Amino acid sequence: MIETNQIPIVASKVDTACYHCGELAMSPIISEELSFCCNGCKTVHAILKANNLEQYYDIKNAADVAKIPVNPAKENFLHMRDENFIREYAKVTSDGKMILDFYLEGIHCLACLWLIEKIPELVDGVISSRLNLESSRARFVLHPRCDISVLAGELNRLGYLPHAIKQDDEVEAFKKKEERDLLIRMGVAMACMGNIVLLSISIYAGAEGTLKTQFEWLSFFLLMPVILYCAVPFYANALSALKRKTISIDLPISIALIAGTIGGFINLLKGNGIIFFDSMASLVFLLFLGRYLLLKARQKGVNSSNLEYFNSFGSVKRANGEEVLAKFLKPQDVIILTKGDMVPVDGEILAGTALVNNSLLTGESVPINLFTGSLIFSGTQVMSGEVTVRVEKTGRGTRLGGILEEVDLARRMPAPMVTLADKWAQWFVIVVLLLAAAIMGYFAFAGNLTEGFLRALTLVIITCPCALALATPLALTSVIGKLAGQGVIIRSEEVIEKLSKANKIFLDKTGTLTYGKFQVVSFKPLRSFDNLSSIVYTLEKDAIHPIGVALVDYLKDARQLEITDWKEIPGFGVTGIIDGKSYQIKRHNNFLGLFEDGEVILEMELQDSLRKDSKVAIEKMRELKVRPYLLSGDSRSNVLETAKELEISSAHCYFEKKPEEKNKIVTEKAAIMVGDGANDALALSKASVGIAVKGSIDVSLKAADIYLTKPGVALVTLVLTEARKTLKVIHRNLIFSISYNFIGAGLAITGHLNPLWAAILMPLSSLTVLFSTIWGTGRAR
Amino acid sequence: MNVIYILLPLSLLLGITFLVIFIWSVKKGQYDDLSTPAHRMLFDEEYENKKRKNL
């Protein structure tokens, strides 16, 4: 293979930090004495400067945020002019203004917030813009005649890829109501708990006589809102779990609360014995706190509905030039598909030719040629050429629709995953309940039922997994927030546990480990020529084969020469006559050769090369004891070559695999799957954890558990490390709470439990677990 | 110690007042977005000035 020193280097190889995003740039673009890592960053800087918005950098530098280079997707947003689009996504107010919600990809700090809320000054027709940093959602109020596509284009130029969100008032209102309800219950519980604890302290400190009785009665009344109002969701959950014949953690909580209140009330009437009102109020409050934190974390990163926004089946062009969202297409519509378009429908080609990548449907990575009269299927991608297509089937009726349905099914099929904490808690609950019953039985047999009841009650209350209830959500919250800040979107928190258990990782090659497109890696003239690049450029300029497209891209500064008799022959190459000499570009040994009158004068090599960070990431995976496998639809030689570069043994390589085969391999090994292509979708949904990388298509995103907003696999190692760290913390917390509970239980059964110690130990155990979590996972962003 | 019969109801009343205010503010949506307003207030002033200049 070629040596690295043969790769042409465009700019000087100096490590410089990008002025815009701060990322180290290998070959910086210098402009006005400032260096940038990419054109995206340069453009954003120019926009900011032109609008006197350079304060962005002061705010950003003060914020100390993750480095994310701007990488505007090359998309147009003309489909946002379509009336169907406006009807579906925009809400019109009574005074004629439009309200539009976008999910913005790439929001990461308060500088972003500042910039987005400056949009009214940048784009005409925008009245106001408000961004929610937590959910990355922005709401724009627009003049009735404002062109939405311009707004979207501007957002995209600034580096925030906008995804329109359908405003579903009912769902929104329901979610909002649910969150507020939780918050109010938590607030009430906290207020009651605070007062009860204050009163209890005086009792523990030695209040006696009437004062003690009065304080206890007051505590009892303060507890009532907690038991009768706040804790109602626990009873409801416990009952519904029982109806499904399962035991949820809510069951012992409910039993403890109800039994504890009754027991405490009996003791209160008797005027002696333990009342646990303070412990019960704290229990309810801490449980709500844990649930609220988890809810907040979900809104930040776990939100599965966020994944639905990344809809790459964006827009298509109608024959009359209008852009329209694919989902608004109907049978018999006529559309035009060009290079790079994902085919959104099944249809028949009316005119033109195109090279189409069928890998989703067939697993075949070599593109095929389609002509007038051929059928073209949804989920395939036009590599080059242009075709006019009559729509025949849309949505679920297409072949892709069938696959999507299968993916949906696979997502719903697996038995609900029981998290570790739940599993432990379930056993714990059963043991505690049995033990309580045994104590009751023992004392009843001995003729002292009251004593038995009290001890059993003490046991149930003291063993309530209070600390546990808070610790696990907190650990998950903290890791999810941290990962969200780095551009990792997680569908559900269960994934964290599965991730840390996996010891195999299947990596798709094309587009995941590699850049996914041909790049010129060597350009070696066999004789000296001055206009060699221009000849190649002229020959390949109109070619539709990806190799030609890559060459034109590489030689974009070359001159166009006069050419006659130009022909592109599929499976062979291109030919033409320039300046009286006949030229051909075709395969020559292992190279691509330029032939002048039948003689080779230039050897070129094109390759889909590995991403810069792939190798390091693979090494890190090995350090984490996760064995990397290659799983690709590509040919044997291509896969083995990549494997060699990554030092993956050929025994761990799967090549020429069709989607169904990929799916089978991944299911058998129960492992992590990382991929981007449509042909990975099934495997992603079947894998223990499916990770879709940036650039993935719609189907893959639907199937995946985790979405990485940066291309390449570098983030995978971060996700793995964090998941392991988190699980370690959760384990430590579980062990701590369980042993704490066992000691408490021992004291309770033997009747040694001093109420003062119980009151001190209870919050202390929660606090210990809390600190252990914070210390173990590191501060969330 | 009799003063406790005044202080205790008083403190409870105070607690209930704040609880009511809390519930009211939750219902008003003050807790819907916890992080953005905290950042936004940092540059509101400059933003207002600019608006006024534009008028």
Side-chain angles (χ1 to χ4, degrees), chain A residues 462-498:
Chain A
I462 198 76
T463 53
C464 236
C466 184
L468 204 65
L470 185 59
T472 310
L474 197 76
L476 290 172
T477 307
S478 139
V479 70
I480 285 162
K482 208 159 145 191
L483 288 175
Q486 296 289 328
V488 180
I489 294 171
I490 297 175
R491 194 192 281 272
S492 91
E493 59 271 11
E494 294 161 2
V495 166
I496 298 289
E497 197 179 315
K498 293 196 212 163

Side-chain angles (χ1 to χ4, degrees), chain A residues 117 130-131 133-134 180 214, chain B residues 5 29 32 35-36 39-40:
Chain A
E117 301 203 339
R130 297 286 266 187
L131 174 74
L133 265 181
E134 279 175 5
R180 289 179 184 175
Q214 280 161 354
Chain B
Y5 294 109
D32 289 353
S35 63
T36 324
H39 292 307
R40 189 179 285 132

Side-chain angles (χ1 to χ4, degrees), chain A residues 669-682:
Chain A
K669 309 265 171 155
I672 305 173
M673 167 83 201
V674 187
D676 73 323
N679 54 352
D680 301 320
L682 276 177

Side-chain angles (χ1 to χ4, degrees), chain A residues 706-726:
Chain A
I706 296 178
Y707 173 53
L708 309 178
T709 57
K710 288 188 223 171
V713 292
L715 277 180
V716 175
T717 54
L718 176 80
V719 173
L720 283 173
T721 330
E722 289 298 331
R724 293 193 174 197
K725 227 160 61 179
T726 310

Side-chain angles (χ1 to χ4, degrees), chain A residues 171-190:
Chain A
V171 174
E172 294 270 291
F174 178 74
K175 273 191 191 156
K176 207 171 249 178
K177 196 173 156 271
E178 223 179 13
E179 188 189 327
R180 289 179 184 175
D181 185 63
L182 177 60
L183 200 55
I184 290 176
R185 284 180 202 275
M186 187 171 93
V188 172
M190 188 186 175

Side-chain angles (χ1 to χ4, degrees), chain A residues 544-731:
Chain A
I544 62 168
H545 194 275
I547 287 191
V549 177
L551 276 172
V552 170
D553 224 34
Y554 177 71
L555 300 167
K556 52 178 172 279
D557 298 327
R559 273 181 310 125
Q560 160 100 46
L561 305 171
E562 201 129 322
I563 185 163
T564 50
D565 281 351
W566 182 82
K567 240 189 294 177
E568 178 171 22
I569 306 158
F572 174 79
V574 288
T575 67
I577 296 172
I578 299 171
D579 211 8
K581 286 177 181 155
S582 109
Y583 289 96
Q584 290 177 328
I585 295 180
K586 61 178 186 188
R587 205 131 262 287
H588 170 66
N589 300 334
N590 276 328
F591 297 93
L592 193 65
L594 172 65
F595 291 75
E596 185 186 68
D597 293 333
E599 186 194 348
V600 196
I601 56 168
L602 168 72
E603 282 181 347
M604 293 168 284
E605 165 121 20
L606 282 95
Q607 227 180 32
D608 179 13
S609 46
L610 273 184
R611 287 180 193 275
K612 270 184 287 180
D613 47 11
S614 292
K615 194 159 182 199
V616 184
I618 297 281
E619 266 159 30
K620 268 197 206 143
M621 286 173 199
R622 283 208 192 89
E623 274 169 37
L624 292 167
K625 302 235 158 44
V626 180
R627 183 178 292 159
Y629 288 78
L630 281 186
L631 181 53
S632 177
D634 210 348
S635 70
R636 183 173 185 272
S637 62
N638 282 352
V639 172
L640 288 185
E641 192 184 304
T642 310
K644 209 171 122 198
E645 264 183 87
L646 294 171
E647 291 165 17
I648 294 173
S649 111
S650 56
H652 296 154
C653 291
Y654 296 89
F655 36 82
E656 292 161 24
K657 291 295 173 213
K658 292 201 172 72
E660 305 83 58
E661 292 173 308
K662 280 191 172 187
N663 165 16
K664 212 166 157 196
I665 293 164
V666 169
T667 317
E668 276 168 15
K669 309 265 171 155
I672 305 173
M673 167 83 201
V674 187
D676 73 323
N679 54 352
D680 301 320
L682 276 177
L684 285 174
S685 65
K686 280 282 165 64
S688 167
V689 180
I691 302 180
V693 298
K694 166 117 185 160
S696 298
I697 74 146
D698 197 27
V699 205
S700 300
L701 290 182
K702 270 216 169 73
D705 301 296
I706 296 178
Y707 173 53
L708 309 178
T709 57
K710 288 188 223 171
V713 292
L715 277 180
V716 175
T717 54
L718 176 80
V719 173
L720 283 173
T721 330
E722 289 298 331
R724 293 193 174 197
K725 227 160 61 179
T726 310
L727 204 71
K728 221 178 262 170
V729 172
I730 293 177
H731 272 240

